[in-house]
Amino acid sequence: MRYLPLNDDERAQMRGVIGVDAIDDLFTDVPVDALNPSLDLPDHKGEMEVERIMAGLAARNRAAGAGPFFAGCGAYKHHVPATVDHIIQRSEFLTAYTPYQPEIAQGTLQYLFEFQSQVATLTGMDIANASMYDGSTAAAEAALMARRVTKRNKVICSGGLHPHYAQVIHTNSELIGDTVLEAPTHPEGQGSIADMIDDDTSCIIVQSPDVFGNIRDLSALAEKAHAHGALLVAVVTEAVSLGLLKSPGAQGADIVVAEGQSIGNALNFGGPYVGLFAAREKLVRHMPGRLCGETVDADGQRGYVLTLSTREQHIRRDKATSNICTNSGLCALAFTVHMSLLGGTGLRQLAILNHEAACKTADALAEIDGVEVLNTSFFNEFTVRLPKNAATVVENLAHKGIIAGVPGSRLWPDNADTENLLIVAATEVTTDADIAAFAVALKGELSS
Amino acid sequence: MTMNNQGRPTRPEQTADVLPQTHTGNRALQIEEPLIFEVGDFRGTGVDFPEAEGVPSRLGDFAADDAPALPGLAEPEAMRHFVRLSQKNYAIDTGLFPLGSCTMKHNPRLNEKMARLPGFADVHPLQPQSTVQGAIDVIERVGDWLKELTGMPAVAMSPKAGAHGELCGMMAIKAALIARGEADTRTRVLAPDSAHGTNPATAAQCGFTVDGIPADKTGRVDLEAFKAKLGPDVAAIMVTNPNTCGLFERDIRQLADLVHEAGGYFYCDGANFNAIMAKARPGDLGVDAMHINLHKTFSTPHGGGGPGSGPTVLSDALAPYAPIPFVIHREGRFTLVEDKSDPAAKDSFGRMVAFHGQMGMFVRALTYMLSHGGDGLRQAAEDAVLNANYIQARLKTEMTPAFDGTCMHEALFDDRFLKDTGVGTLDFAKAMIDEGFHPMTMYFPLVVSGAMLIEPTETESKQSIDQFCDALLGLAREAKAGNAEKFKAAPVYAPRRRLDETAAARKPVLKWTAPVDASMAAE
C-alpha cells in the first residue's frame, strides 16, 4: 500500500513498545462479534489501474467544453486563468487545515481577509464572511439570520428565486417552525412580492438577475420591506453580473448571498462551490460562518486571526448562529486569485463580454419561427418559449453535440406552464460559431 | 516604516528585540507581503480580453456607472503575492499535523489529477442526465462503498460537509417523527458533553432542545446518567464513536438498544470513522444515522477549511426520508431523482443544497477507495490506531494520559504534567510551533482539563512519529525544569508571534479600507 509508510517490522516493534501482541488487542473495546466483518470490497489497486477506471467513468460524461454550451441556472461555464489552479494546488494551501493556529496560518488568514474585502466591495455591503458551502445554503442561512435579527418567523421568497434555493430555504426554515411563502412564478418578470410583505415578515428573498434572467429592481422592494421592519435578502447566482450591474447593497439590501462559482471555480457537476455572504455592519454578530479579522502580534506586526468565534458552534453549542463548522476555504482562494487578476476593471470587461454573448444569442434565437424571447432585460441568461416541449428539444440537441440550456421542466417538473420554457445562458466562452450552430440546430429541431 | 507603493504602511515598527532587525522586515525566505489592495492597480487588470463589440445593452436601468473598486494584479504580481502567502502556512505536506478529531492525513495527488479530468470538472449539474451517466455512476459507487463499510442500507450523498451531514441525519429523524405523529412530543435530544460542538448546534437548528450527558470516569458516556435522562420526549441521542476522547464507546449496543426501546433514534457522529473503517460496521452496532467526513476519512484535502463533504448513511427506518437528489436505476440507466413530485421521493424531507453535492470530493474519495481497497482501508485503520497508541506509550513517561488503557486513533493527554510549572496547554502548544510541528488540538474535549488531543493518522512513518515524540518529551522536561519564560514567549520563529485575538474581537476589522490620506488608492 503506497500510502502507508509502516512496514511489518516497525509494526511489531511498535506493538512491543505499547505492550500488545496483536493489533486486535488495541480493538478490544469493539464488541468481539462485530470486529473484522467480511466486506464485499475489492483489494487495493495500483495508480495506473485506478487512473484507468476513473478515466473510464469520466469518459462517460460530456464535458461542457466539448461543444456549444448554453446551460446556466446557478452554475456557469467560464474561463479560469491557469494561475488560479496552480495557486490552489500549492501544498501549503491545498493541504492546510482550518487556521486555528494563526501564527503559522497567515497565508490562509490573509487571503480570507482579502476575500472578505473583495466580496464586501462587489456586493456593496459593509462586511462579508469567509465563505459558505454554496449560494443555496447561504440563502437558507440568510433566512435563519433574518429570524434572529427580527425575531419574526415568516419568510417570503420571490417567484424568480431559483427553485432549488427556495427548496433549501423551505427545508431549513420549516424545521424550526417558520413559514416560507413563495410568490407565483412569472417568467416574463411581472408580478411582485411587495403586496405579500406584512409586519410579521422577517425577510423577503429576491434574486436578481432572477432564475429566468430578468434583472429585478431591488430598491422599491427594500423600501417596502424596511417600512414593515423586514430585511431584504438579495440573491445573486451569477457573480460575474456584479461587474456590470448596480450592486445589491446600493439598492438597499440588508444581506447579500451569492454563488461564487463563476469566479475561479469549475462547474464540477454542482460542487464544490463557494457561497458568498455579506451584510450590513450592524448585523455582524448575527452572521453565520467564519470571519477573519485584522489584529497585531506580540511584536506589533499586523496579522490576521479568526474572530467573533463566540457566535460559532464550538463555543455557543446549542445557541450558535449556525451548526456550520467549516467554510469553502480553497474555493474562496480560487475566487480571490481570479478576482485579484481581474480587478474591478477586468471584471467589468468580463461582464460586458458575457452580456454581449447573451444579447447575440437572444437575437439569433429570436429570429427562429416560433421562438419567443421573454425577457425585457437580462445579463447573461434569458428565457425563451418554444413551440414544443423544451426537455425533448434539449435531449435531441444534446445528441447533436449542443447543450441548449436548461428546460423549465428540469426546475419545475410538476408545472405544465414551464414545459416549453428554455433557459439559455451565454458567457465569455461562447463563440459566434457556437451561437450559429445552436440557432441552426434549434431551427432544424423545431421544423422537424 | 515599511510603505507600499501607495504610501500606506504595511507593518508597524518591530518593537520587541527578540530578533535582529532587517531593513525590509523580511527574514530571508520569510518575506512580508502587503494586501492585494496595497500592491494592485485599481485601474489595471491581469487578464487579457478580446475587445467588446459595442452591442447595445439590455440591462434596463440597472447598469452600474463604474467598475467595482477592486485592484487588478498583473500575472507575475499575483503569482508572487499568493506564493509568498502560501509560505506562511503550515500544511500536511510540510510536516506532521497532529490535530485530534480532525484527521490530517496525506492527500494523494492522484485524487487531484482525477478530479480535474474534464469529464468530471467541466460538467454542468443540469446537463441532460443522458450526458452525465459516468458522473452519476461515481455518486452511486461512493455511496456503495460507504454502505458496505458501514453496514447501512441507504446513504444521502448531498450534504456539503460533516456538520451538514449531521443536519441531514437529524432532519431525517425529525421527518420520521413527523410521520409517526410524534414531532410535537419528542422534542429533546441527548448530547454527551464530549460531543463535537456541532452536535448540539445541529439539534438546536432542527428545533430540538438539547440535554447534555456527562462522561464517566473512563471518558465514555455515563450509562446511568443516560438511562436517567431517557423518556417519552426523547427524539434521539447523538453520540460520537470513537468519541472525542479518542475512545470507543464500549456500551454502544446498550446505548442503541435503550434509546430504541424508549422510542428514540441513534445518531452517531462519524467524524472519527477512520479508526474503525473495515474493522467494525456502525450498522451492526445499532446506529440509525451517521455522517462520514470524506475529507477526513477518505483523504480529500482540507484546503484551509474546506470544501468538505458529509454523506450520511441511514437505517431502513430513516431511508425513506432521505433528501433529494438521490440516484436510482430506472429504465436501464442511472437516474437522479431531483424533485419531490417524483413518486420515489414522496417521503423525502426535501432538498439541502442546490445541486447534487460535492462531486469533486466524490471523485477524490472514490480514487482513494479504489487505491486502498477493502484490505488497505482495514490496514489504514489499524495503522492509525497503532500510531496513536505508540504515541501514548512513548509520551506517558513525561506527559499525563487523560484515561487509562488503549486509545483508538487519537491519544488524549491533560495538563497534570504541567502542574506548578507556570506553563499552560496553550504555551506548550505554541512551543511546538518553534520545533516545527503544528500543535495538537487543545482544550478539547471540554471534559478534560487542559486537554491535548493528538491524532497522528496512518500516513505518518515511525521515524516522523519518533521525532515528534522526542520533541514533546524534550519540551515536557524543559517545562518541568522551570523554563516557563521560553514557553510564554513562543512562538519566536513563526511568521507571526502570538496574535492579539481579544483586540480583533473587541473592534472587528473585517475588510480593507482605503487610507483616508491616500485618495489615489481607491479613487
Short mmCIF file of all heavy atoms in Angstrom, two decimals, chain A residues 124-172:
data_model
loop_
_atom_site.label_atom_id
_atom_site.label_comp_id
_atom_site.label_asym_id
_atom_site.label_seq_id
_atom_site.Cartn_x
_atom_site.Cartn_y
_atom_site.Cartn_z
N GLY A 124 -21.45 45.56 -2.50
CA GLY A 124 -21.83 46.88 -2.00
C GLY A 124 -22.23 46.86 -0.53
O GLY A 124 -23.04 47.67 -0.08
N MET A 125 -21.65 45.90 0.22
CA MET A 125 -22.02 45.77 1.63
C MET A 125 -20.84 46.15 2.53
O MET A 125 -19.72 46.32 2.08
CB MET A 125 -22.45 44.33 1.92
CG MET A 125 -23.60 43.83 1.07
SD MET A 125 -25.11 44.82 1.20
CE MET A 125 -25.76 44.25 2.77
N ASP A 126 -21.13 46.25 3.85
CA ASP A 126 -20.08 46.64 4.79
C ASP A 126 -19.11 45.50 5.08
O ASP A 126 -17.91 45.70 5.17
CB ASP A 126 -20.71 47.09 6.12
CG ASP A 126 -21.66 48.25 5.93
OD1 ASP A 126 -21.36 49.13 5.10
OD2 ASP A 126 -22.71 48.28 6.61
N ILE A 127 -19.66 44.32 5.27
CA ILE A 127 -18.84 43.19 5.70
C ILE A 127 -19.25 41.92 4.98
O ILE A 127 -20.38 41.79 4.51
CB ILE A 127 -18.97 42.93 7.22
CG1 ILE A 127 -20.45 42.90 7.62
CG2 ILE A 127 -18.21 43.97 8.03
CD1 ILE A 127 -20.70 42.34 8.99
N ALA A 128 -18.31 40.98 4.92
CA ALA A 128 -18.61 39.67 4.34
C ALA A 128 -17.91 38.62 5.20
O ALA A 128 -16.92 38.93 5.88
CB ALA A 128 -18.10 39.59 2.90
N ASN A 129 -18.44 37.40 5.17
CA ASN A 129 -17.75 36.35 5.93
C ASN A 129 -16.78 35.61 5.01
O ASN A 129 -16.64 35.94 3.83
CB ASN A 129 -18.75 35.42 6.64
CG ASN A 129 -19.46 34.47 5.69
OD1 ASN A 129 -19.11 34.34 4.52
ND2 ASN A 129 -20.48 33.79 6.19
N ALA A 130 -16.10 34.62 5.59
CA ALA A 130 -15.03 33.93 4.86
C ALA A 130 -15.54 32.76 4.04
O ALA A 130 -14.80 31.83 3.79
CB ALA A 130 -13.96 33.46 5.84
N SER A 131 -16.79 32.82 3.59
CA SER A 131 -17.43 31.88 2.67
C SER A 131 -18.31 30.85 3.35
O SER A 131 -18.12 30.50 4.51
CB SER A 131 -16.44 31.17 1.74
OG SER A 131 -15.84 30.06 2.38
N MET A 132 -19.27 30.38 2.54
CA MET A 132 -20.23 29.34 2.96
C MET A 132 -20.11 28.19 1.96
O MET A 132 -19.38 28.26 1.00
CB MET A 132 -21.66 29.90 2.90
CG MET A 132 -21.84 31.26 3.51
SD MET A 132 -21.93 31.25 5.30
CE MET A 132 -23.60 30.68 5.55
N TYR A 133 -20.91 27.12 2.21
CA TYR A 133 -20.82 25.96 1.32
C TYR A 133 -21.09 26.33 -0.14
O TYR A 133 -20.37 25.95 -1.04
CB TYR A 133 -21.85 24.89 1.71
CG TYR A 133 -21.79 24.38 3.13
CD1 TYR A 133 -22.96 24.09 3.83
CD2 TYR A 133 -20.57 24.15 3.78
CE1 TYR A 133 -22.93 23.60 5.12
CE2 TYR A 133 -20.54 23.66 5.07
CZ TYR A 133 -21.72 23.39 5.74
OH TYR A 133 -21.70 22.90 7.02
N ASP A 134 -22.20 27.04 -0.35
CA ASP A 134 -22.57 27.45 -1.70
C ASP A 134 -23.66 28.51 -1.61
O ASP A 134 -24.05 28.91 -0.50
CB ASP A 134 -23.03 26.25 -2.55
CG ASP A 134 -24.41 25.72 -2.16
OD1 ASP A 134 -24.92 26.13 -1.10
OD2 ASP A 134 -24.98 24.93 -2.92
N GLY A 135 -24.14 28.96 -2.75
CA GLY A 135 -25.14 30.01 -2.76
C GLY A 135 -26.46 29.59 -2.12
O GLY A 135 -27.09 30.38 -1.41
N SER A 136 -26.87 28.34 -2.36
CA SER A 136 -28.19 27.92 -1.87
C SER A 136 -28.21 27.79 -0.36
O SER A 136 -29.16 28.21 0.30
CB SER A 136 -28.60 26.61 -2.54
OG SER A 136 -27.78 25.54 -2.14
N THR A 137 -27.16 27.21 0.21
CA THR A 137 -27.13 27.08 1.67
C THR A 137 -26.92 28.44 2.32
O THR A 137 -27.41 28.70 3.42
CB THR A 137 -26.03 26.10 2.14
OG1 THR A 137 -24.79 26.49 1.57
CG2 THR A 137 -26.34 24.68 1.71
N ALA A 138 -26.21 29.34 1.62
CA ALA A 138 -26.04 30.69 2.14
C ALA A 138 -27.40 31.39 2.20
O ALA A 138 -27.71 32.11 3.17
CB ALA A 138 -25.08 31.48 1.26
N ALA A 139 -28.25 31.16 1.18
CA ALA A 139 -29.58 31.77 1.18
C ALA A 139 -30.41 31.25 2.35
O ALA A 139 -31.11 32.02 3.02
CB ALA A 139 -30.28 31.47 -0.15
N ALA A 140 -30.31 29.94 2.61
CA ALA A 140 -31.05 29.37 3.74
C ALA A 140 -30.56 29.95 5.07
O ALA A 140 -31.34 30.25 5.97
CB ALA A 140 -30.91 27.85 3.73
N GLU A 141 -29.24 30.13 5.18
CA GLU A 141 -28.68 30.72 6.40
C GLU A 141 -29.12 32.18 6.55
O GLU A 141 -29.30 32.67 7.67
CB GLU A 141 -27.16 30.62 6.40
CG GLU A 141 -26.62 29.20 6.56
CD GLU A 141 -26.80 28.64 7.98
OE1 GLU A 141 -27.05 29.43 8.91
OE2 GLU A 141 -26.70 27.41 8.13
N ALA A 142 -29.28 32.87 5.44
CA ALA A 142 -29.72 34.27 5.49
C ALA A 142 -31.13 34.35 6.07
O ALA A 142 -31.44 35.25 6.87
CB ALA A 142 -29.67 34.90 4.11
N ALA A 143 -31.99 33.40 5.69
CA ALA A 143 -33.35 33.38 6.22
C ALA A 143 -33.32 33.15 7.73
O ALA A 143 -34.05 33.80 8.49
CB ALA A 143 -34.18 32.30 5.52
N LEU A 144 -32.45 32.23 8.17
CA LEU A 144 -32.35 31.96 9.61
C LEU A 144 -31.78 33.17 10.35
O LEU A 144 -32.18 33.48 11.47
CB LEU A 144 -31.47 30.72 9.86
CG LEU A 144 -31.97 29.42 9.27
CD1 LEU A 144 -30.97 28.29 9.49
CD2 LEU A 144 -33.33 29.03 9.86
N MET A 145 -30.85 33.87 9.70
CA MET A 145 -30.26 35.05 10.32
C MET A 145 -31.31 36.16 10.45
O MET A 145 -31.38 36.84 11.48
CB MET A 145 -29.08 35.52 9.49
CG MET A 145 -28.46 36.83 9.97
SD MET A 145 -26.91 37.14 9.10
CE MET A 145 -26.82 38.93 9.24
N ALA A 146 -32.14 36.33 9.43
CA ALA A 146 -33.19 37.35 9.48
C ALA A 146 -34.15 37.07 10.63
O ALA A 146 -34.64 37.98 11.29
CB ALA A 146 -33.94 37.39 8.15
N ARG A 147 -34.37 35.80 10.88
CA ARG A 147 -35.22 35.40 12.00
C ARG A 147 -34.61 35.84 13.34
O ARG A 147 -35.29 36.37 14.20
CB ARG A 147 -35.35 33.88 11.97
CG ARG A 147 -36.05 33.25 13.14
CD ARG A 147 -35.84 31.73 13.07
NE ARG A 147 -37.04 31.02 13.46
CZ ARG A 147 -37.18 30.42 14.64
NH1 ARG A 147 -36.21 30.47 15.52
NH2 ARG A 147 -38.28 29.77 14.92
N ARG A 148 -33.28 35.64 13.47
CA ARG A 148 -32.62 36.06 14.71
C ARG A 148 -32.66 37.57 14.89
O ARG A 148 -32.81 38.08 15.99
CB ARG A 148 -31.15 35.59 14.70
CG ARG A 148 -30.95 34.11 14.78
CD ARG A 148 -29.49 33.76 15.07
NE ARG A 148 -28.59 34.08 13.98
CZ ARG A 148 -28.36 33.30 12.93
NH1 ARG A 148 -28.99 32.15 12.82
NH2 ARG A 148 -27.51 33.67 11.99
N VAL A 149 -32.51 38.29 13.78
CA VAL A 149 -32.45 39.75 13.84
C VAL A 149 -33.84 40.33 14.14
O VAL A 149 -33.99 41.20 15.00
CB VAL A 149 -31.91 40.32 12.52
CG1 VAL A 149 -32.02 41.85 12.49
CG2 VAL A 149 -30.46 39.90 12.32
N THR A 150 -34.86 39.84 13.42
CA THR A 150 -36.19 40.46 13.52
C THR A 150 -37.08 39.78 14.56
O THR A 150 -38.12 40.33 14.91
CB THR A 150 -36.92 40.40 12.16
OG1 THR A 150 -37.12 39.02 11.82
CG2 THR A 150 -36.12 41.09 11.07
N LYS A 151 -36.66 38.60 15.00
CA LYS A 151 -37.48 37.79 15.92
C LYS A 151 -38.87 37.52 15.32
O LYS A 151 -39.88 37.46 16.01
CB LYS A 151 -37.60 38.46 17.29
CG LYS A 151 -36.24 38.84 17.86
CD LYS A 151 -36.19 38.69 19.36
CE LYS A 151 -34.80 38.70 19.95
NZ LYS A 151 -33.74 39.38 19.20
N ARG A 152 -38.93 37.38 14.02
CA ARG A 152 -40.17 37.03 13.31
C ARG A 152 -39.94 35.72 12.56
O ARG A 152 -38.80 35.34 12.33
CB ARG A 152 -40.55 38.12 12.31
CG ARG A 152 -40.77 39.48 12.94
CD ARG A 152 -40.98 40.48 11.84
NE ARG A 152 -41.19 41.82 12.34
CZ ARG A 152 -41.41 42.87 11.54
NH1 ARG A 152 -41.43 42.70 10.22
NH2 ARG A 152 -41.60 44.06 12.05
N ASN A 153 -41.04 35.10 12.15
CA ASN A 153 -40.83 33.79 11.52
C ASN A 153 -41.62 33.58 10.23
O ASN A 153 -42.12 32.50 9.97
CB ASN A 153 -41.07 32.65 12.51
CG ASN A 153 -42.41 32.80 13.20
OD1 ASN A 153 -43.25 33.59 12.76
ND2 ASN A 153 -42.61 32.06 14.26
N LYS A 154 -41.70 34.62 9.43
CA LYS A 154 -42.31 34.43 8.11
C LYS A 154 -41.33 34.90 7.03
O LYS A 154 -40.92 36.05 7.00
CB LYS A 154 -43.62 35.22 8.00
CG LYS A 154 -44.35 34.93 6.70
CD LYS A 154 -45.83 35.23 6.80
CE LYS A 154 -46.12 36.62 6.27
NZ LYS A 154 -47.51 37.01 6.52
N VAL A 155 -41.00 33.98 6.15
CA VAL A 155 -40.05 34.24 5.07
C VAL A 155 -40.82 34.29 3.76
O VAL A 155 -41.69 33.44 3.52
CB VAL A 155 -38.99 33.11 5.00
CG1 VAL A 155 -38.04 33.31 3.83
CG2 VAL A 155 -38.23 33.02 6.31
N ILE A 156 -40.53 35.28 2.92
CA ILE A 156 -41.21 35.36 1.62
C ILE A 156 -40.16 35.29 0.51
O ILE A 156 -39.23 36.09 0.46
CB ILE A 156 -42.00 36.68 1.49
CG1 ILE A 156 -43.04 36.77 2.63
CG2 ILE A 156 -42.70 36.74 0.13
CD1 ILE A 156 -43.78 38.09 2.67
N CYS A 157 -40.32 34.29 -0.36
CA CYS A 157 -39.40 34.12 -1.48
C CYS A 157 -40.06 34.66 -2.76
O CYS A 157 -41.23 34.40 -3.01
CB CYS A 157 -39.07 32.65 -1.70
SG CYS A 157 -38.26 31.87 -0.31
N SER A 158 -39.29 35.33 -3.57
CA SER A 158 -39.83 35.83 -4.83
C SER A 158 -40.02 34.68 -5.81
O SER A 158 -39.35 33.64 -5.71
CB SER A 158 -38.90 36.89 -5.43
OG SER A 158 -37.84 36.27 -6.09
N GLY A 159 -40.91 34.86 -6.75
CA GLY A 159 -41.18 33.81 -7.73
C GLY A 159 -40.02 33.59 -8.69
O GLY A 159 -39.95 32.55 -9.35
N GLY A 160 -39.12 34.55 -8.74
CA GLY A 160 -37.96 34.41 -9.62
C GLY A 160 -36.75 33.80 -8.95
O GLY A 160 -35.67 33.75 -9.53
N LEU A 161 -36.95 33.39 -7.69
CA LEU A 161 -35.84 32.74 -6.98
C LEU A 161 -35.64 31.33 -7.55
O LEU A 161 -36.61 30.60 -7.78
CB LEU A 161 -36.17 32.67 -5.48
CG LEU A 161 -35.14 32.02 -4.57
CD1 LEU A 161 -33.83 32.79 -4.57
CD2 LEU A 161 -35.68 31.91 -3.14
N HIS A 162 -34.39 30.96 -7.77
CA HIS A 162 -34.06 29.60 -8.23
C HIS A 162 -34.82 28.60 -7.37
O HIS A 162 -34.70 28.63 -6.15
CB HIS A 162 -32.55 29.39 -8.08
CG HIS A 162 -32.01 28.20 -8.80
ND1 HIS A 162 -32.45 26.92 -8.55
CD2 HIS A 162 -31.08 28.11 -9.76
CE1 HIS A 162 -31.78 26.08 -9.34
NE2 HIS A 162 -30.95 26.78 -10.09
N PRO A 163 -35.62 27.72 -7.98
CA PRO A 163 -36.46 26.83 -7.16
C PRO A 163 -35.65 25.94 -6.22
O PRO A 163 -36.13 25.60 -5.13
CB PRO A 163 -37.23 26.01 -8.20
CG PRO A 163 -36.57 26.24 -9.49
CD PRO A 163 -35.86 27.55 -9.42
N HIS A 164 -34.44 25.56 -6.61
CA HIS A 164 -33.62 24.77 -5.68
C HIS A 164 -33.28 25.59 -4.44
O HIS A 164 -33.26 25.06 -3.32
CB HIS A 164 -32.31 24.33 -6.34
CG HIS A 164 -32.50 23.26 -7.38
ND1 HIS A 164 -31.45 22.76 -8.11
CD2 HIS A 164 -33.60 22.60 -7.80
CE1 HIS A 164 -31.90 21.83 -8.94
NE2 HIS A 164 -33.20 21.72 -8.77
N TYR A 165 -33.00 26.88 -4.62
CA TYR A 165 -32.71 27.74 -3.47
C TYR A 165 -33.95 27.82 -2.58
O TYR A 165 -33.85 27.72 -1.35
CB TYR A 165 -32.31 29.14 -3.93
CG TYR A 165 -30.88 29.29 -4.44
CD1 TYR A 165 -30.36 28.42 -5.38
CD2 TYR A 165 -30.06 30.32 -3.98
CE1 TYR A 165 -29.07 28.56 -5.86
CE2 TYR A 165 -28.76 30.48 -4.45
CZ TYR A 165 -28.26 29.60 -5.39
OH TYR A 165 -26.98 29.74 -5.86
N ALA A 166 -35.10 28.00 -3.21
CA ALA A 166 -36.34 28.09 -2.43
C ALA A 166 -36.56 26.80 -1.65
O ALA A 166 -36.96 26.83 -0.48
CB ALA A 166 -37.52 28.38 -3.36
N GLN A 167 -36.26 25.66 -2.28
CA GLN A 167 -36.45 24.39 -1.58
C GLN A 167 -35.52 24.24 -0.39
O GLN A 167 -35.90 23.71 0.66
CB GLN A 167 -36.23 23.23 -2.56
CG GLN A 167 -37.35 23.08 -3.60
CD GLN A 167 -36.96 22.20 -4.77
OE1 GLN A 167 -36.03 21.40 -4.68
NE2 GLN A 167 -37.66 22.34 -5.88
N VAL A 168 -34.28 24.70 -0.55
CA VAL A 168 -33.33 24.61 0.57
C VAL A 168 -33.79 25.51 1.72
O VAL A 168 -33.70 25.13 2.89
CB VAL A 168 -31.90 24.99 0.11
CG1 VAL A 168 -30.93 24.95 1.28
CG2 VAL A 168 -31.42 24.05 -0.99
N ILE A 169 -34.32 26.66 1.38
CA ILE A 169 -34.85 27.57 2.41
C ILE A 169 -36.02 26.91 3.13
O ILE A 169 -36.09 26.92 4.37
CB ILE A 169 -35.25 28.92 1.77
CG1 ILE A 169 -34.00 29.65 1.28
CG2 ILE A 169 -36.05 29.78 2.76
CD1 ILE A 169 -34.28 30.80 0.32
N HIS A 170 -36.93 26.31 2.37
CA HIS A 170 -38.05 25.57 2.97
C HIS A 170 -37.55 24.53 3.96
O HIS A 170 -37.99 24.47 5.10
CB HIS A 170 -38.84 24.83 1.88
CG HIS A 170 -39.97 25.62 1.30
ND1 HIS A 170 -41.15 25.81 1.95
CD2 HIS A 170 -40.09 26.27 0.12
CE1 HIS A 170 -41.96 26.55 1.21
NE2 HIS A 170 -41.33 26.85 0.08
N THR A 171 -36.61 23.70 3.51
CA THR A 171 -36.14 22.59 4.33
C THR A 171 -35.61 23.09 5.66
O THR A 171 -35.92 22.54 6.71
CB THR A 171 -35.02 21.83 3.58
OG1 THR A 171 -35.50 21.45 2.31
CG2 THR A 171 -34.59 20.60 4.34
N ASN A 172 -34.81 24.15 5.61
CA ASN A 172 -34.16 24.62 6.83
C ASN A 172 -35.10 25.42 7.72
O ASN A 172 -35.05 25.28 8.94
CB ASN A 172 -32.93 25.47 6.47
CG ASN A 172 -31.77 24.60 6.04
OD1 ASN A 172 -31.00 24.12 6.85
ND2 ASN A 172 -31.65 24.37 4.74
#
